[in-house]
Amino acid sequence: MQYLDNILFLVLLIAGFGLFFKSLKEIYRNIKLGREINRSDNPSERWKTMATVALGQSKMKKRPVAAFLHMIVYVGFVIINIELIEIIVDGIFGTHRFLASIFGDTLYGIFTATLEVLAALVVIAVVAFFIRRNGLKIPRLSSIDLKGWPKNDANWILVIELCLMMAFFKMNAADWLLQQSGALAAHGSFPVSSNLIAPIFQSFGFSDGFLHFIERGAWWFHFVGILFFMNYLYYSKHLHIIFAFPNTWYANLEKKGKFNNLESVTQEIKLMMDPNADPYAAQPEGAEPPAKFGAEDIFDLNQVQLLNAYSCTECGRCTAVCPANITGRKLSPRKIMMSTRDRVEEVGKNINKNGKFVDDGKKLLNDYITKEELWACTSCNACVEACPVLIDPLSIIVEMRRFLVMEQSAAPQELNMMMTNIENNAAPWQYNQADRLNWANEN
Amino acid sequence: MDLHIKTMAEYAAEGKSPEVLFWVGCAGSFDDRAKKITKAFAKILNKVGVEFAVLGQEESCTGDPAKRAGNEFIFQMMALTNIEVLNAYEVKKIVTACPHCFNTLKNEYPSLGGNYEVMHHTQLLQQLMEQGRLKIEGGAFKGKKITFHDPCYLGRANDEYEAPRVLLEKLDAELVEMKRCKTNGLCCGAGGAQMFKEPEKGNKDINIERTEEALALNPKVVATGCPFCNTMMTDGVKHFNKNEEVEVKDIVELIAEAEDL
């Protein structure tokens, strides 16, 4: 019976990680629903981008307050996770503070003290974030985009992080008190919890037995909390802590102004312009039917665009700089990304239920993203420039416009006029091409 | 003053080829306001002695507005037509006063078979200045407050923020920056084919938002580098009845003015 703890720990660990990898596999499957796109050129540039933008958070600094707080939580998160190694070893083998035996007491003291200081900073940052999000009226954080789950999600993340840090402090405080009374071997140094939390415990005059209970309780809470949080990512914008990395790696390295040219169209135009082409030629045997032009649903978007949707942290920097949104239009690049993810997840659930996708009568276009949003975009690239993880909302907007125009002929009337003009007289206005050089002789 | 502008066809008939092709674009050819920018730039090129030609009647829309509106067919029709003409004349180097033409020619034509060295007019002028061929003597704008509105398709789309500013500094003007400039520049509202349609429902027009920001600096001149921005900012300044005090001018117009061309 003495191994009951260890067995329970191992079962939870395997279940927690198992469930997590199952979710990741499902997301991978969903991303694969998109069209293939080759984004593995120039790997050295891609690794560099990932290192500076995801690891180094170079694009965060445009908003210094958020950047500073975020950096604290990020560094804290990464370093505090080293402690996860200790938790796992202690949990499986029933050791206590296993890293002390590896590091030696001096180094372990520095290590635990560092963790404590970082955890305290994380608490401060998380509280500041909570106040920023709920108290201060920051437009991008209190926008209509976040109504319902997204707003709660953001707050849950902060609450869970706070609870995890609190458990960490309680555990250390109880441990430290037990070390003082000699009930446990002395390992580590705990500047925060021994000064702030331990006195509270002392004032209650807890017995050693109860302190043991607190220490174990907090340890288990911390461990189960981590597993819970890991599996919470699947439902949350917090997924960015993983996806920011592949997302920046696969980012577009071309100039932002460069849109792709559709090869299927090029074939058509070349046939049209070729005087020797036979307009009545039958399709060769086994010819693929031409692909759909543009995108009406997530299956028509490419895999990087779907990865973008999963990587979005809903921070709203894109929407905050979008000229259409600033001036009160319906378009919000953040909402474009959120809608895309919502639709991908809906399709994913559909596949889980039916084994394959069964038409549900819905589409990304109209059911999630309206024409009004799509036609308000000035293609100015402010949103692309603003994104701290290099998401490209503009490419989705353009792909959907292409569908509207080339598959449905559903452009706004004035744009049809403009396009007719270009087709007929090679300019967007009704002027004769023969008059193109008149400016040279006018005064 | 009558400008003599040579076409590519004339050069070809003489068996010669110019140093650079000036791509005028639809706005520069037909829009009354933008024609002034076209002329100012042509005059500067003439003065510096740059041998240039235009396509004239053989020029078609690059296809930019159609492409941004989602009509890949019309875009590629225009692109392939233009590429045929450009390649027939063996054009190597193109300069244009329109960032939209610039972006399309530079970034979207290569994969369709059109490979040229493409420059925005500010980039060419900066190059001519570095070569010592263009000398801008300030004076006319000494101490005048000028603010520059970054065209999205030159700035964010193609990472060129310096060339226009280098030229403005040569004018001895006092360059003041709007809060939203360079990578954070705010669009004038005309890109992505918006120029050709009514805006969606909102509470303000984008060019009004941008003009407010520019006027808050009390500039003498709002400098632009794009015919569409120029139209949008001019309308914005008129909206505030400031067209007496504040001028909206393309950078090449300012240079032409400083040089008395």
Side-chain angles (χ1 to χ4, degrees):
Chain A
M1 283 306 283
Q2 67 191 41
Y3 294 120
L4 202 58
D5 271 6
N6 314 43
I7 291 164
L8 177 66
F9 179 90
L10 204 59
V11 168
L12 283 173
L13 187 73
I14 291 167
F17 272 90
L19 199 57
F20 175 62
F21 283 115
K22 186 174 158 288
S23 319
L24 279 188
K25 231 175 89 182
E26 197 173 291
I27 293 173
Y28 180 76
R29 178 204 70 194
N30 292 353
I31 288 174
K32 283 285 184 193
L33 296 171
R35 288 183 185 171
E36 297 235 336
I37 176 171
N38 184 3
R39 280 278 177 86
S40 47
D41 59 308
N42 205 344
S44 64
E45 186 62 28
R46 297 188 174 283
W47 287 111
K48 214 173 87 193
T49 308
M50 187 171 97
T52 49
V53 180
L55 197 66
Q57 298 189 22
S58 58
K59 296 206 72 150
M60 287 293 289
K61 62 181 182 286
K62 265 198 178 166
R63 295 177 186 264
V65 177
F68 176 70
L69 294 172
H70 187 268
M71 191 51 102
I72 291 174
V73 178
Y74 164 67
V75 172
F77 173 85
V78 171
I79 301 203
I80 289 167
N81 268 339
I82 299 176
E83 196 223 12
L84 193 59
I85 301 166
E86 184 174 62
I87 290 181
I88 290 171
V89 175
D90 283 352
I92 295 174
F93 300 104
T95 47
H96 186 66
R97 296 204 175 269
F98 143 85
L99 281 180
S101 59
I102 304 277
F103 285 179
D105 273 348
T106 321
L107 196 57
Y108 191 71
I110 295 169
F111 171 68
T112 48
T114 309
L115 286 189
E116 285 246 316
V117 172
L118 280 172
L121 288 172
V122 169
V123 168
I124 293 167
V126 164
V127 170
F129 271 140
F130 195 87
I131 293 167
R132 257 171 72 87
R133 190 170 281 275
N134 299 287
L136 311 179
K137 279 274 170 274
I138 295 169
R140 70 188 168 99
L141 302 180
S142 47
S143 122
I144 184 127
D145 287 357
L146 300 178
K147 209 166 157 240
W149 169 245
K151 185 174 174 64
N152 297 337
D153 176 26
N155 285 330
W156 275 119
I157 292 163
L158 297 174
V159 169
I160 295 167
E161 280 171 348
L162 185 71
C163 291
L164 287 175
M165 292 304 108
M166 284 302 157
F168 176 71
F169 284 134
K170 277 186 200 149
M171 174 183 92
N172 283 351
D175 195 339
W176 180 77
L177 284 171
L178 290 168
Q179 289 184 20
Q180 299 310 304
S181 65
L184 281 176
H187 292 303
S189 142
F190 310 102
V192 180
S193 49
S194 65
N195 289 313
L196 293 178
I197 315 280
I200 301 173
F201 288 176
Q202 280 169 313
S203 67
F204 284 109
F206 290 148
S207 65
D208 277 9
F210 193 66
L211 285 172
H212 263 297
F213 174 73
I214 289 179
E215 195 274 335
R216 285 294 81 197
W219 186 89
W220 277 99
F221 179 90
H222 188 70
F223 165 66
V224 174
I226 289 171
L227 293 182
F228 171 81
F229 200 31
M230 196 165 75
N231 282 288
Y232 176 78
L233 298 187
Y234 175 68
Y235 304 93
S236 165
K237 72 184 189 102
H238 214 55
L239 199 57
H240 78 283
I241 63 174
I242 303 167
F243 278 50
F245 292 87
N247 199 64
T248 48
W249 201 89
Y250 285 112
N252 179 23
L253 299 176
E254 304 275 5
K255 291 283 184 214
K256 291 189 186 70
K258 180 179 179 176
F259 288 10
N260 64 328
N261 295 327
L262 292 182
E263 275 172 45
S264 47
V265 173
T266 313
Q267 293 312 321
E268 298 279 329
I269 308 277
K270 284 205 165 136
L271 270 177
M272 207 172 78
M273 291 172 75
D274 178 7
N276 305 319
D278 174 8
Y280 305 108
Q283 283 284 339
E285 283 297 310
E288 293 261 318
K292 197 187 289 177
F293 296 121
E296 66 169 330
D297 208 347
I298 56 118
F299 305 99
D300 314 320
L301 293 171
N302 69 49
Q303 292 169 4
V304 172
Q305 288 168 323
L306 301 187
L307 172 66
N308 277 184
Y310 274 113
S311 308
C312 174
T313 321
E314 300 166 18
C315 71
R317 290 166 184 232
C318 51
T319 295
V321 296
C322 171
N325 191 279
I326 289 171
T327 54
R329 330 243 171 250
K330 273 219 176 85
L331 173 65
S332 159
R334 164 169 61 184
K335 195 209 143 249
I336 298 279
M337 299 320 298
M338 290 166 73
S339 296
T340 305
R341 177 168 172 180
D342 288 348
R343 175 61 183 161
V344 178
E345 287 182 344
E346 184 179 52
V347 169
K349 286 197 189 96
N350 181 315
I351 295 173
N352 290 347
K353 199 174 116 198
N354 303 309
K356 63 177 191 350
F357 181 69
V358 174
D359 187 18
D360 58 356
K362 287 196 212 165
K363 294 273 191 280
L364 180 62
L365 180 66
N366 297 332
D367 294 304
Y368 285 87
I369 298 173
T370 59
K371 286 183 204 166
E372 188 182 344
E373 293 163 66
L374 296 170
W375 290 118
C377 172
T378 70
S379 73
C380 76
N381 266 307
C383 55
V384 182
E385 176 63 42
C387 183
V389 295
L390 308 182
I391 289 169
D392 184 355
L394 174 56
S395 67
I396 295 180
I397 294 170
V398 170
E399 241 10 285
M400 293 180 81
R401 279 186 180 184
R402 284 174 174 170
F403 179 84
L404 283 171
V405 173
M406 294 195 281
E407 294 278 352
Q408 296 193 323
S409 304
Q413 196 45 42
E414 309 108 307
L415 290 188
N416 282 332
M417 300 270 295
M418 176 269 288
M419 294 186 287
T420 306
N421 287 334
I422 293 181
E423 208 170 1
N424 293 338
N425 45 35
W429 302 284
Q430 272 193 310
Y431 291 103
N432 191 330
Q433 192 165 10
D435 296 336
R436 261 187 119 89
L437 196 47
N438 289 4
W439 59 267
N441 312 315
E442 294 166 358
N443 272 322
Chain B
M1 111 152 214
D2 210 17
L3 272 171
H4 184 62
I5 305 292
K6 279 175 86 173
T7 60
M8 276 313 278
E10 287 169 347
Y11 268 100
E14 295 167 11
K16 290 188 198 150
S17 62
E19 194 178 329
V20 62
L21 168 74
F22 174 21
W23 185 276
V24 182
C26 304
S29 303
F30 295 123
D31 180 275
D32 283 340
R33 178 67 190 84
K35 282 186 211 170
K36 294 190 174 126
I37 302 170
T38 306
K39 280 190 210 166
F41 185 52
K43 283 173 187 166
I44 295 170
L45 291 178
N46 275 340
K47 178 168 188 271
V48 174
V50 175
E51 287 211 328
F52 73 97
V54 298
L55 282 174
Q57 302 181 4
E58 292 183 288
E59 188 185 86
S60 301
C61 174
T62 55
D64 160 87
K67 189 178 181 79
R68 314 292 138 187
N71 198 326
E72 194 67 9
F73 280 102
I74 293 180
F75 161 70
Q76 291 202 17
M77 248 163 61
M78 291 298 121
L80 291 165
T81 308
N82 281 321
I83 288 168
E84 249 179 39
V85 174
L86 292 166
N87 289 352
Y89 285 123
E90 292 177 352
V91 169
K92 303 274 181 295
K93 190 168 170 179
I94 303 177
V95 65
T96 175
C98 173
H100 293 261
C101 298
F102 163 75
N103 173 69
T104 305
L105 292 165
K106 177 172 164 287
N107 295 320
E108 288 159 0
Y109 277 28
S111 77
L112 297 169
N115 292 289
Y116 323 101
E117 184 195 350
V118 186
M119 300 181 96
H120 184 245
H121 61 349
T122 57
Q123 293 175 323
L124 180 71
L125 293 179
Q126 187 192 8
Q127 199 180 62
L128 291 170
M129 221 167 57
E130 281 164 2
Q131 294 166 350
R133 292 171 69 183
L134 170 68
K135 295 179 186 61
I136 304 175
E137 310 295 332
F141 293 94
K142 200 167 178 63
K144 269 195 183 167
K145 246 196 209 178
I146 297 185
T147 188
F148 177 63
H149 163 77
D150 284 281
C152 303
Y153 273 78
L154 179 66
R156 264 192 305 269
N158 288 293
D159 304 313
E160 179 60 78
Y161 304 102
E162 286 318 303
R165 289 176 170 81
V166 167
L167 296 172
L168 286 171
E169 273 159 21
K170 280 283 172 223
L171 289 171
D172 262 354
E174 185 198 340
L175 183 60
V176 283
E177 294 286 4
M178 286 181 259
K179 190 157 173 268
R180 289 178 283 195
C181 66
K182 299 184 181 173
T183 54
N184 301 326
L186 181 77
C187 178
C188 68
Q194 297 294 336
M195 185 76 192
F196 307 97
K197 61 185 265 293
E198 285 303 309
E200 273 60 31
K201 215 162 87 266
N203 50 31
K204 191 195 271 185
D205 280 351
I206 295 171
N207 62 326
I208 301 300
E209 168 87 12
R210 185 53 162 174
T211 309
E212 275 176 355
E213 189 176 6
L215 292 179
L217 300 168
N218 286 319
K220 277 269 126 311
V221 180
V222 177
T224 60
C226 166
F228 295 100
C229 297
N230 193 298
T231 300
M232 296 305 262
M233 298 306 284
T234 304
D235 289 353
V237 170
K238 276 194 190 126
H239 173 91
F240 291 106
N241 293 321
K242 291 272 185 204
N243 37 332
E244 297 294 322
E245 305 98 282
V246 183
E247 292 183 302
V248 180
K249 291 239 160 123
D250 193 277
I251 291 181
V252 290
E253 291 182 294
L254 299 175
I255 294 172
E257 220 171 292
E259 300 292 299
D260 265 337
L261 298 176

